Amino acid sequence: MSAIEVFLDETPGETRAVIARDGRWDRILIERHDDRPEHRLGARLVGRVADLVPGAGGAFVDLGAGEPFGFLAVGKAAGLAQGQAVEVEVTAEPRGDKGPTLRRLGPAEGDPRILVPGPSIADRLAVLAPDVPPVTGAEAIRAVWEAEEEALAAAHVFPEHGLDLSVERTRALIAVDIDHTAAPGRDARRARREANRHGLDQGARLIRLKAWGGLLAIDLIGVGHDGEEIGRWARAAFDGPGVAFGPVNRFGVLQLSLPWGARPIEERLLGADGRRPLTTRAIDLTRRLRHALLTDTASPRLQARCAPEEAEAAAPLVARLGPRAAVTADPTVRPGKAVVEAPR
């Protein structure tokens, strides 16, 4: 059984949990305090059909949280009508400009509303890492920083296996490229085989960490693979409900389909331009200030000196850190480059 560790950071504005298995980050769970509860994975709600879209095979459903509406896939014989109330469950959180994906549970009455909230981070940890007490404090903050850095990276190197992985997401699919550096004196065929096995394991872990789903194409090393063996490795690596496995084609590419679930990490933390928006930067500096407060207990007061717009956004969050914490607007500090220090 794999060794499991859990780290829990509750910084004002955002709660994060990180799960590590066998010393590697496996999942990041993020809950923003301003998240719409109607869009949380697993929430059960009464919704009202806002629009039928036969061409897309579904309907847009008003969940009472405004646009974007949820999308409910239905067949031609679904019997839905515009304005009809239905009970639904969120099966995938919003991503990009799309609202949540829904599953129909049955008929309903009344206005859109939440019936059962989606599971919280504590609820999800109880399932993913039962009976594992979370590490908190400064160590947990460092863990969420490290896990975030790996989750947002596209290139990943594993020297112990001579493995080089590229894991990238496009509009159409997720592409995983497995490559390796042959070690002198080792059997090249055996080395490629082991690199493919480890590449599938690490590729699956990184996709879980990034919270990605959709069509997945894995470019294995070499061609002429043992399809049954690759299939066994893939099923062990991508273990979970709703995964569909395809064969390895003659070009050495394995295709899978992974269900969407939680919102992708990069969409949680970055804007459409790939930069960190103001809300994320405000939480970032609050977390940095909180880490400083936990590790520097001697200074009577610590401040985050930052760009004026960040100071305004972070002020209510920093206030919740207590009387030792302060935020100061400084127009000479560039956005995203807050300085945490003891005031003079």
PDB file of all heavy atoms in Angstrom, residues 201-238:
ATOM      1  N   ASP A 201       2.789   5.781 -15.343  1.00  0.00           N
ATOM      2  CA  ASP A 201       2.498   6.056 -13.929  1.00  0.00           C
ATOM      3  C   ASP A 201       2.591   7.543 -13.621  1.00  0.00           C
ATOM      4  O   ASP A 201       1.694   8.128 -12.997  1.00  0.00           O
ATOM      5  CB  ASP A 201       3.475   5.285 -13.024  1.00  0.00           C
ATOM      6  CG  ASP A 201       3.180   3.797 -12.981  1.00  0.00           C
ATOM      7  OD1 ASP A 201       2.061   3.405 -13.336  1.00  0.00           O
ATOM      8  OD2 ASP A 201       4.083   3.036 -12.576  1.00  0.00           O
ATOM      9  N   GLN A 202       3.693   8.166 -14.059  1.00  0.00           N
ATOM     10  CA  GLN A 202       3.893   9.573 -13.734  1.00  0.00           C
ATOM     11  C   GLN A 202       2.964  10.463 -14.555  1.00  0.00           C
ATOM     12  O   GLN A 202       2.484  11.496 -14.062  1.00  0.00           O
ATOM     13  CB  GLN A 202       5.349   9.975 -13.973  1.00  0.00           C
ATOM     14  CG  GLN A 202       6.348   9.277 -13.063  1.00  0.00           C
ATOM     15  CD  GLN A 202       6.021   9.471 -11.599  1.00  0.00           C
ATOM     16  OE1 GLN A 202       5.526  10.523 -11.181  1.00  0.00           O
ATOM     17  NE2 GLN A 202       6.278   8.454 -10.785  1.00  0.00           N
ATOM     18  N   GLY A 203       2.671  10.087 -15.788  1.00  0.00           N
ATOM     19  CA  GLY A 203       1.723  10.862 -16.582  1.00  0.00           C
ATOM     20  C   GLY A 203       0.344  10.869 -15.945  1.00  0.00           C
ATOM     21  O   GLY A 203      -0.318  11.914 -15.867  1.00  0.00           O
ATOM     22  N   ALA A 204      -0.106   9.710 -15.460  1.00  0.00           N
ATOM     23  CA  ALA A 204      -1.406   9.628 -14.795  1.00  0.00           C
ATOM     24  C   ALA A 204      -1.422  10.474 -13.532  1.00  0.00           C
ATOM     25  O   ALA A 204      -2.400  11.174 -13.242  1.00  0.00           O
ATOM     26  CB  ALA A 204      -1.730   8.175 -14.469  1.00  0.00           C
ATOM     27  N   ARG A 205      -0.340  10.413 -12.771  1.00  0.00           N
ATOM     28  CA  ARG A 205      -0.269  11.211 -11.530  1.00  0.00           C
ATOM     29  C   ARG A 205      -0.330  12.697 -11.836  1.00  0.00           C
ATOM     30  O   ARG A 205      -1.066  13.451 -11.173  1.00  0.00           O
ATOM     31  CB  ARG A 205       1.035  10.879 -10.781  1.00  0.00           C
ATOM     32  CG  ARG A 205       1.237  11.693  -9.511  1.00  0.00           C
ATOM     33  CD  ARG A 205       2.585  11.423  -8.881  1.00  0.00           C
ATOM     34  NE  ARG A 205       3.688  11.891  -9.698  1.00  0.00           N
ATOM     35  CZ  ARG A 205       4.133  13.144  -9.710  1.00  0.00           C
ATOM     36  NH1 ARG A 205       3.552  14.070  -8.955  1.00  0.00           N
ATOM     37  NH2 ARG A 205       5.153  13.493 -10.475  1.00  0.00           N
ATOM     38  N   LEU A 206       0.405  13.141 -12.833  1.00  0.00           N
ATOM     39  CA  LEU A 206       0.427  14.563 -13.161  1.00  0.00           C
ATOM     40  C   LEU A 206      -0.921  15.045 -13.677  1.00  0.00           C
ATOM     41  O   LEU A 206      -1.347  16.166 -13.381  1.00  0.00           O
ATOM     42  CB  LEU A 206       1.525  14.839 -14.191  1.00  0.00           C
ATOM     43  CG  LEU A 206       2.957  14.702 -13.653  1.00  0.00           C
ATOM     44  CD1 LEU A 206       3.946  14.627 -14.796  1.00  0.00           C
ATOM     45  CD2 LEU A 206       3.288  15.846 -12.713  1.00  0.00           C
ATOM     46  N   ILE A 207      -1.618  14.215 -14.422  1.00  0.00           N
ATOM     47  CA  ILE A 207      -2.946  14.602 -14.913  1.00  0.00           C
ATOM     48  C   ILE A 207      -3.931  14.690 -13.754  1.00  0.00           C
ATOM     49  O   ILE A 207      -4.790  15.578 -13.722  1.00  0.00           O
ATOM     50  CB  ILE A 207      -3.406  13.618 -16.005  1.00  0.00           C
ATOM     51  CG1 ILE A 207      -2.558  13.850 -17.266  1.00  0.00           C
ATOM     52  CG2 ILE A 207      -4.888  13.798 -16.320  1.00  0.00           C
ATOM     53  CD1 ILE A 207      -2.694  12.772 -18.311  1.00  0.00           C
ATOM     54  N   ARG A 208      -3.814  13.791 -12.775  1.00  0.00           N
ATOM     55  CA  ARG A 208      -4.649  13.920 -11.561  1.00  0.00           C
ATOM     56  C   ARG A 208      -4.318  15.207 -10.829  1.00  0.00           C
ATOM     57  O   ARG A 208      -5.212  15.909 -10.351  1.00  0.00           O
ATOM     58  CB  ARG A 208      -4.423  12.726 -10.630  1.00  0.00           C
ATOM     59  CG  ARG A 208      -5.043  11.429 -11.071  1.00  0.00           C
ATOM     60  CD  ARG A 208      -5.054  10.412  -9.948  1.00  0.00           C
ATOM     61  NE  ARG A 208      -3.733  10.074  -9.462  1.00  0.00           N
ATOM     62  CZ  ARG A 208      -2.963   9.121  -9.965  1.00  0.00           C
ATOM     63  NH1 ARG A 208      -3.386   8.407 -10.996  1.00  0.00           N
ATOM     64  NH2 ARG A 208      -1.766   8.873  -9.459  1.00  0.00           N
ATOM     65  N   LEU A 209      -3.034  15.512 -10.728  1.00  0.00           N
ATOM     66  CA  LEU A 209      -2.602  16.717 -10.028  1.00  0.00           C
ATOM     67  C   LEU A 209      -3.138  17.971 -10.708  1.00  0.00           C
ATOM     68  O   LEU A 209      -3.554  18.930 -10.048  1.00  0.00           O
ATOM     69  CB  LEU A 209      -1.069  16.752  -9.973  1.00  0.00           C
ATOM     70  CG  LEU A 209      -0.416  17.824  -9.116  1.00  0.00           C
ATOM     71  CD1 LEU A 209      -0.699  17.595  -7.641  1.00  0.00           C
ATOM     72  CD2 LEU A 209       1.092  17.870  -9.360  1.00  0.00           C
ATOM     73  N   LYS A 210      -3.156  17.971 -12.023  1.00  0.00           N
ATOM     74  CA  LYS A 210      -3.632  19.123 -12.793  1.00  0.00           C
ATOM     75  C   LYS A 210      -5.162  19.172 -12.872  1.00  0.00           C
ATOM     76  O   LYS A 210      -5.726  20.178 -13.292  1.00  0.00           O
ATOM     77  CB  LYS A 210      -3.044  19.073 -14.206  1.00  0.00           C
ATOM     78  CG  LYS A 210      -1.516  19.164 -14.262  1.00  0.00           C
ATOM     79  CD  LYS A 210      -1.004  18.829 -15.652  1.00  0.00           C
ATOM     80  CE  LYS A 210       0.523  18.782 -15.720  1.00  0.00           C
ATOM     81  NZ  LYS A 210       1.126  20.115 -15.638  1.00  0.00           N
ATOM     82  N   ALA A 211      -5.829  18.061 -12.495  1.00  0.00           N
ATOM     83  CA  ALA A 211      -7.296  17.947 -12.540  1.00  0.00           C
ATOM     84  C   ALA A 211      -7.810  18.074 -13.968  1.00  0.00           C
ATOM     85  O   ALA A 211      -8.766  18.787 -14.247  1.00  0.00           O
ATOM     86  CB  ALA A 211      -7.967  18.980 -11.626  1.00  0.00           C
ATOM     87  N   TRP A 212      -7.190  17.331 -14.888  1.00  0.00           N
ATOM     88  CA  TRP A 212      -7.563  17.368 -16.285  1.00  0.00           C
ATOM     89  C   TRP A 212      -8.421  16.163 -16.656  1.00  0.00           C
ATOM     90  O   TRP A 212      -8.366  15.113 -16.024  1.00  0.00           O
ATOM     91  CB  TRP A 212      -6.319  17.358 -17.187  1.00  0.00           C
ATOM     92  CG  TRP A 212      -5.570  18.656 -17.191  1.00  0.00           C
ATOM     93  CD1 TRP A 212      -5.950  19.830 -16.620  1.00  0.00           C
ATOM     94  CD2 TRP A 212      -4.311  18.902 -17.817  1.00  0.00           C
ATOM     95  NE1 TRP A 212      -5.000  20.799 -16.856  1.00  0.00           N
ATOM     96  CE2 TRP A 212      -3.984  20.254 -17.586  1.00  0.00           C
ATOM     97  CE3 TRP A 212      -3.436  18.117 -18.549  1.00  0.00           C
ATOM     98  CZ2 TRP A 212      -2.803  20.835 -18.064  1.00  0.00           C
ATOM     99  CZ3 TRP A 212      -2.259  18.686 -19.024  1.00  0.00           C
ATOM    100  CH2 TRP A 212      -1.956  20.038 -18.783  1.00  0.00           C
ATOM    101  N   GLY A 213      -9.204  16.325 -17.707  1.00  0.00           N
ATOM    102  CA  GLY A 213      -9.977  15.249 -18.281  1.00  0.00           C
ATOM    103  C   GLY A 213     -10.087  15.448 -19.779  1.00  0.00           C
ATOM    104  O   GLY A 213      -9.572  16.413 -20.337  1.00  0.00           O
ATOM    105  N   GLY A 214     -10.779  14.538 -20.452  1.00  0.00           N
ATOM    106  CA  GLY A 214     -10.947  14.632 -21.887  1.00  0.00           C
ATOM    107  C   GLY A 214     -10.157  13.567 -22.617  1.00  0.00           C
ATOM    108  O   GLY A 214      -9.682  12.588 -22.033  1.00  0.00           O
ATOM    109  N   LEU A 215      -9.995  13.756 -23.921  1.00  0.00           N
ATOM    110  CA  LEU A 215      -9.246  12.816 -24.746  1.00  0.00           C
ATOM    111  C   LEU A 215      -7.757  12.951 -24.447  1.00  0.00           C
ATOM    112  O   LEU A 215      -7.221  14.061 -24.387  1.00  0.00           O
ATOM    113  CB  LEU A 215      -9.514  13.092 -26.228  1.00  0.00           C
ATOM    114  CG  LEU A 215      -8.813  12.168 -27.231  1.00  0.00           C
ATOM    115  CD1 LEU A 215      -9.292  10.735 -27.065  1.00  0.00           C
ATOM    116  CD2 LEU A 215      -9.066  12.657 -28.655  1.00  0.00           C
ATOM    117  N   LEU A 216      -7.094  11.811 -24.293  1.00  0.00           N
ATOM    118  CA  LEU A 216      -5.675  11.786 -23.924  1.00  0.00           C
ATOM    119  C   LEU A 216      -4.913  10.946 -24.935  1.00  0.00           C
ATOM    120  O   LEU A 216      -5.289   9.806 -25.224  1.00  0.00           O
ATOM    121  CB  LEU A 216      -5.530  11.201 -22.511  1.00  0.00           C
ATOM    122  CG  LEU A 216      -4.139  10.843 -21.999  1.00  0.00           C
ATOM    123  CD1 LEU A 216      -3.250  12.071 -21.955  1.00  0.00           C
ATOM    124  CD2 LEU A 216      -4.236  10.214 -20.613  1.00  0.00           C
ATOM    125  N   ALA A 217      -3.837  11.505 -25.483  1.00  0.00           N
ATOM    126  CA  ALA A 217      -2.960  10.786 -26.411  1.00  0.00           C
ATOM    127  C   ALA A 217      -1.572  10.695 -25.797  1.00  0.00           C
ATOM    128  O   ALA A 217      -0.964  11.725 -25.473  1.00  0.00           O
ATOM    129  CB  ALA A 217      -2.903  11.502 -27.756  1.00  0.00           C
ATOM    130  N   ILE A 218      -1.080   9.460 -25.611  1.00  0.00           N
ATOM    131  CA  ILE A 218       0.221   9.231 -24.985  1.00  0.00           C
ATOM    132  C   ILE A 218       1.168   8.672 -26.035  1.00  0.00           C
ATOM    133  O   ILE A 218       0.954   7.573 -26.566  1.00  0.00           O
ATOM    134  CB  ILE A 218       0.104   8.254 -23.796  1.00  0.00           C
ATOM    135  CG1 ILE A 218      -0.903   8.778 -22.774  1.00  0.00           C
ATOM    136  CG2 ILE A 218       1.462   8.037 -23.150  1.00  0.00           C
ATOM    137  CD1 ILE A 218      -1.161   7.822 -21.614  1.00  0.00           C
ATOM    138  N   ASP A 219       2.205   9.428 -26.342  1.00  0.00           N
ATOM    139  CA  ASP A 219       3.213   9.012 -27.314  1.00  0.00           C
ATOM    140  C   ASP A 219       4.268   8.188 -26.578  1.00  0.00           C
ATOM    141  O   ASP A 219       5.117   8.730 -25.867  1.00  0.00           O
ATOM    142  CB  ASP A 219       3.838  10.246 -27.967  1.00  0.00           C
ATOM    143  CG  ASP A 219       4.779   9.882 -29.105  1.00  0.00           C
ATOM    144  OD1 ASP A 219       4.869   8.691 -29.462  1.00  0.00           O
ATOM    145  OD2 ASP A 219       5.459  10.790 -29.628  1.00  0.00           O
ATOM    146  N   LEU A 220       4.194   6.877 -26.725  1.00  0.00           N
ATOM    147  CA  LEU A 220       5.123   5.969 -26.062  1.00  0.00           C
ATOM    148  C   LEU A 220       6.472   5.965 -26.778  1.00  0.00           C
ATOM    149  O   LEU A 220       6.588   6.414 -27.929  1.00  0.00           O
ATOM    150  CB  LEU A 220       4.543   4.556 -26.036  1.00  0.00           C
ATOM    151  CG  LEU A 220       3.190   4.405 -25.324  1.00  0.00           C
ATOM    152  CD1 LEU A 220       2.517   3.116 -25.739  1.00  0.00           C
ATOM    153  CD2 LEU A 220       3.373   4.460 -23.812  1.00  0.00           C
ATOM    154  N   ILE A 221       7.466   5.425 -26.113  1.00  0.00           N
ATOM    155  CA  ILE A 221       8.793   5.317 -26.718  1.00  0.00           C
ATOM    156  C   ILE A 221       8.800   4.096 -27.639  1.00  0.00           C
ATOM    157  O   ILE A 221       8.473   2.983 -27.223  1.00  0.00           O
ATOM    158  CB  ILE A 221       9.875   5.161 -25.637  1.00  0.00           C
ATOM    159  CG1 ILE A 221       9.844   6.360 -24.691  1.00  0.00           C
ATOM    160  CG2 ILE A 221      11.255   5.021 -26.271  1.00  0.00           C
ATOM    161  CD1 ILE A 221      10.642   6.148 -23.431  1.00  0.00           C
ATOM    162  N   GLY A 222       9.138   4.300 -28.898  1.00  0.00           N
ATOM    163  CA  GLY A 222       9.247   3.192 -29.836  1.00  0.00           C
ATOM    164  C   GLY A 222       7.907   2.769 -30.415  1.00  0.00           C
ATOM    165  O   GLY A 222       6.864   3.374 -30.156  1.00  0.00           O
ATOM    166  N   VAL A 223       7.951   1.714 -31.207  1.00  0.00           N
ATOM    167  CA  VAL A 223       6.757   1.137 -31.833  1.00  0.00           C
ATOM    168  C   VAL A 223       6.809  -0.373 -31.633  1.00  0.00           C
ATOM    169  O   VAL A 223       7.760  -0.915 -31.084  1.00  0.00           O
ATOM    170  CB  VAL A 223       6.687   1.493 -33.340  1.00  0.00           C
ATOM    171  CG1 VAL A 223       6.496   2.982 -33.544  1.00  0.00           C
ATOM    172  CG2 VAL A 223       7.939   1.005 -34.070  1.00  0.00           C
ATOM    173  N   GLY A 224       5.753  -1.066 -32.109  1.00  0.00           N
ATOM    174  CA  GLY A 224       5.720  -2.517 -31.984  1.00  0.00           C
ATOM    175  C   GLY A 224       5.569  -2.980 -30.548  1.00  0.00           C
ATOM    176  O   GLY A 224       6.191  -3.966 -30.130  1.00  0.00           O
ATOM    177  N   HIS A 225       4.731  -2.288 -29.779  1.00  0.00           N
ATOM    178  CA  HIS A 225       4.575  -2.606 -28.360  1.00  0.00           C
ATOM    179  C   HIS A 225       3.696  -3.840 -28.150  1.00  0.00           C
ATOM    180  O   HIS A 225       2.888  -4.214 -29.010  1.00  0.00           O
ATOM    181  CB  HIS A 225       3.940  -1.419 -27.629  1.00  0.00           C
ATOM    182  CG  HIS A 225       4.735  -0.161 -27.733  1.00  0.00           C
ATOM    183  ND1 HIS A 225       5.905   0.043 -27.054  1.00  0.00           N
ATOM    184  CD2 HIS A 225       4.528   0.976 -28.457  1.00  0.00           C
ATOM    185  CE1 HIS A 225       6.384   1.237 -27.331  1.00  0.00           C
ATOM    186  NE2 HIS A 225       5.569   1.824 -28.195  1.00  0.00           N
ATOM    187  N   ASP A 226       3.857  -4.439 -26.991  1.00  0.00           N
ATOM    188  CA  ASP A 226       2.952  -5.488 -26.528  1.00  0.00           C
ATOM    189  C   ASP A 226       1.686  -4.789 -26.027  1.00  0.00           C
ATOM    190  O   ASP A 226       1.666  -4.228 -24.937  1.00  0.00           O
ATOM    191  CB  ASP A 226       3.617  -6.299 -25.414  1.00  0.00           C
ATOM    192  CG  ASP A 226       2.736  -7.438 -24.893  1.00  0.00           C
ATOM    193  OD1 ASP A 226       1.510  -7.346 -25.027  1.00  0.00           O
ATOM    194  OD2 ASP A 226       3.294  -8.392 -24.327  1.00  0.00           O
ATOM    195  N   GLY A 227       0.627  -4.800 -26.838  1.00  0.00           N
ATOM    196  CA  GLY A 227      -0.576  -4.054 -26.515  1.00  0.00           C
ATOM    197  C   GLY A 227      -1.219  -4.484 -25.215  1.00  0.00           C
ATOM    198  O   GLY A 227      -1.721  -3.641 -24.458  1.00  0.00           O
ATOM    199  N   GLU A 228      -1.222  -5.786 -24.923  1.00  0.00           N
ATOM    200  CA  GLU A 228      -1.828  -6.265 -23.685  1.00  0.00           C
ATOM    201  C   GLU A 228      -1.061  -5.759 -22.472  1.00  0.00           C
ATOM    202  O   GLU A 228      -1.650  -5.359 -21.460  1.00  0.00           O
ATOM    203  CB  GLU A 228      -1.885  -7.789 -23.683  1.00  0.00           C
ATOM    204  CG  GLU A 228      -2.889  -8.371 -24.669  1.00  0.00           C
ATOM    205  CD  GLU A 228      -3.046  -9.874 -24.505  1.00  0.00           C
ATOM    206  OE1 GLU A 228      -2.455 -10.425 -23.539  1.00  0.00           O
ATOM    207  OE2 GLU A 228      -3.738 -10.486 -25.323  1.00  0.00           O
ATOM    208  N   GLU A 229       0.262  -5.769 -22.564  1.00  0.00           N
ATOM    209  CA  GLU A 229       1.084  -5.292 -21.451  1.00  0.00           C
ATOM    210  C   GLU A 229       0.877  -3.796 -21.233  1.00  0.00           C
ATOM    211  O   GLU A 229       0.676  -3.349 -20.086  1.00  0.00           O
ATOM    212  CB  GLU A 229       2.557  -5.588 -21.732  1.00  0.00           C
ATOM    213  CG  GLU A 229       3.486  -5.180 -20.605  1.00  0.00           C
ATOM    214  CD  GLU A 229       4.918  -5.570 -20.888  1.00  0.00           C
ATOM    215  OE1 GLU A 229       5.491  -5.074 -21.903  1.00  0.00           O
ATOM    216  OE2 GLU A 229       5.479  -6.370 -20.108  1.00  0.00           O
ATOM    217  N   ILE A 230       0.901  -3.015 -22.294  1.00  0.00           N
ATOM    218  CA  ILE A 230       0.671  -1.578 -22.182  1.00  0.00           C
ATOM    219  C   ILE A 230      -0.715  -1.313 -21.598  1.00  0.00           C
ATOM    220  O   ILE A 230      -0.903  -0.429 -20.749  1.00  0.00           O
ATOM    221  CB  ILE A 230       0.814  -0.885 -23.553  1.00  0.00           C
ATOM    222  CG1 ILE A 230       2.256  -0.974 -24.062  1.00  0.00           C
ATOM    223  CG2 ILE A 230       0.364   0.581 -23.466  1.00  0.00           C
ATOM    224  CD1 ILE A 230       3.264  -0.190 -23.257  1.00  0.00           C
ATOM    225  N   GLY A 231      -1.696  -2.089 -22.030  1.00  0.00           N
ATOM    226  CA  GLY A 231      -3.046  -1.932 -21.508  1.00  0.00           C
ATOM    227  C   GLY A 231      -3.121  -2.188 -20.009  1.00  0.00           C
ATOM    228  O   GLY A 231      -3.810  -1.459 -19.287  1.00  0.00           O
ATOM    229  N   ARG A 232      -2.422  -3.213 -19.528  1.00  0.00           N
ATOM    230  CA  ARG A 232      -2.410  -3.493 -18.078  1.00  0.00           C
ATOM    231  C   ARG A 232      -1.787  -2.347 -17.312  1.00  0.00           C
ATOM    232  O   ARG A 232      -2.292  -1.915 -16.274  1.00  0.00           O
ATOM    233  CB  ARG A 232      -1.648  -4.794 -17.800  1.00  0.00           C
ATOM    234  CG  ARG A 232      -2.370  -6.050 -18.216  1.00  0.00           C
ATOM    235  CD  ARG A 232      -1.744  -7.276 -17.565  1.00  0.00           C
ATOM    236  NE  ARG A 232      -0.323  -7.407 -17.861  1.00  0.00           N
ATOM    237  CZ  ARG A 232       0.175  -8.038 -18.932  1.00  0.00           C
ATOM    238  NH1 ARG A 232      -0.667  -8.585 -19.824  1.00  0.00           N
ATOM    239  NH2 ARG A 232       1.475  -8.139 -19.129  1.00  0.00           N
ATOM    240  N   TRP A 233      -0.671  -1.832 -17.819  1.00  0.00           N
ATOM    241  CA  TRP A 233      -0.005  -0.710 -17.144  1.00  0.00           C
ATOM    242  C   TRP A 233      -0.908   0.518 -17.134  1.00  0.00           C
ATOM    243  O   TRP A 233      -1.005   1.220 -16.123  1.00  0.00           O
ATOM    244  CB  TRP A 233       1.301  -0.379 -17.855  1.00  0.00           C
ATOM    245  CG  TRP A 233       2.366  -1.431 -17.762  1.00  0.00           C
ATOM    246  CD1 TRP A 233       2.409  -2.482 -16.890  1.00  0.00           C
ATOM    247  CD2 TRP A 233       3.537  -1.527 -18.581  1.00  0.00           C
ATOM    248  NE1 TRP A 233       3.540  -3.228 -17.114  1.00  0.00           N
ATOM    249  CE2 TRP A 233       4.263  -2.663 -18.141  1.00  0.00           C
ATOM    250  CE3 TRP A 233       4.045  -0.777 -19.624  1.00  0.00           C
ATOM    251  CZ2 TRP A 233       5.465  -3.052 -18.721  1.00  0.00           C
ATOM    252  CZ3 TRP A 233       5.244  -1.159 -20.208  1.00  0.00           C
ATOM    253  CH2 TRP A 233       5.945  -2.280 -19.766  1.00  0.00           C
ATOM    254  N   ALA A 234      -1.555   0.779 -18.253  1.00  0.00           N
ATOM    255  CA  ALA A 234      -2.420   1.964 -18.351  1.00  0.00           C
ATOM    256  C   ALA A 234      -3.600   1.849 -17.395  1.00  0.00           C
ATOM    257  O   ALA A 234      -3.976   2.827 -16.731  1.00  0.00           O
ATOM    258  CB  ALA A 234      -2.909   2.143 -19.785  1.00  0.00           C
ATOM    259  N   ARG A 235      -4.201   0.665 -17.296  1.00  0.00           N
ATOM    260  CA  ARG A 235      -5.348   0.487 -16.397  1.00  0.00           C
ATOM    261  C   ARG A 235      -4.944   0.638 -14.940  1.00  0.00           C
ATOM    262  O   ARG A 235      -5.709   1.150 -14.116  1.00  0.00           O
ATOM    263  CB  ARG A 235      -6.005  -0.872 -16.647  1.00  0.00           C
ATOM    264  CG  ARG A 235      -6.859  -0.888 -17.901  1.00  0.00           C
ATOM    265  CD  ARG A 235      -7.365  -2.285 -18.264  1.00  0.00           C
ATOM    266  NE  ARG A 235      -8.356  -2.216 -19.329  1.00  0.00           N
ATOM    267  CZ  ARG A 235      -8.065  -2.065 -20.604  1.00  0.00           C
ATOM    268  NH1 ARG A 235      -6.785  -1.984 -20.992  1.00  0.00           N
ATOM    269  NH2 ARG A 235      -9.024  -1.986 -21.502  1.00  0.00           N
ATOM    270  N   ALA A 236      -3.736   0.198 -14.611  1.00  0.00           N
ATOM    271  CA  ALA A 236      -3.257   0.375 -13.243  1.00  0.00           C
ATOM    272  C   ALA A 236      -2.954   1.842 -12.954  1.00  0.00           C
ATOM    273  O   ALA A 236      -3.227   2.344 -11.859  1.00  0.00           O
ATOM    274  CB  ALA A 236      -2.006  -0.476 -13.013  1.00  0.00           C
ATOM    275  N   ALA A 237      -2.408   2.559 -13.940  1.00  0.00           N
ATOM    276  CA  ALA A 237      -2.038   3.968 -13.742  1.00  0.00           C
ATOM    277  C   ALA A 237      -3.255   4.876 -13.705  1.00  0.00           C
ATOM    278  O   ALA A 237      -3.343   5.791 -12.887  1.00  0.00           O
ATOM    279  CB  ALA A 237      -1.072   4.410 -14.844  1.00  0.00           C
ATOM    280  N   PHE A 238      -4.205   4.641 -14.606  1.00  0.00           N
ATOM    281  CA  PHE A 238      -5.379   5.503 -14.727  1.00  0.00           C
ATOM    282  C   PHE A 238      -6.602   4.825 -14.102  1.00  0.00           C
ATOM    283  O   PHE A 238      -7.674   4.796 -14.678  1.00  0.00           O
ATOM    284  CB  PHE A 238      -5.645   5.834 -16.196  1.00  0.00           C
ATOM    285  CG  PHE A 238      -4.592   6.693 -16.834  1.00  0.00           C
ATOM    286  CD1 PHE A 238      -3.503   6.121 -17.470  1.00  0.00           C
ATOM    287  CD2 PHE A 238      -4.680   8.075 -16.781  1.00  0.00           C
ATOM    288  CE1 PHE A 238      -2.518   6.909 -18.062  1.00  0.00           C
ATOM    289  CE2 PHE A 238      -3.709   8.877 -17.368  1.00  0.00           C
ATOM    290  CZ  PHE A 238      -2.619   8.291 -18.007  1.00  0.00           C
TER     291      PHE A 238
END
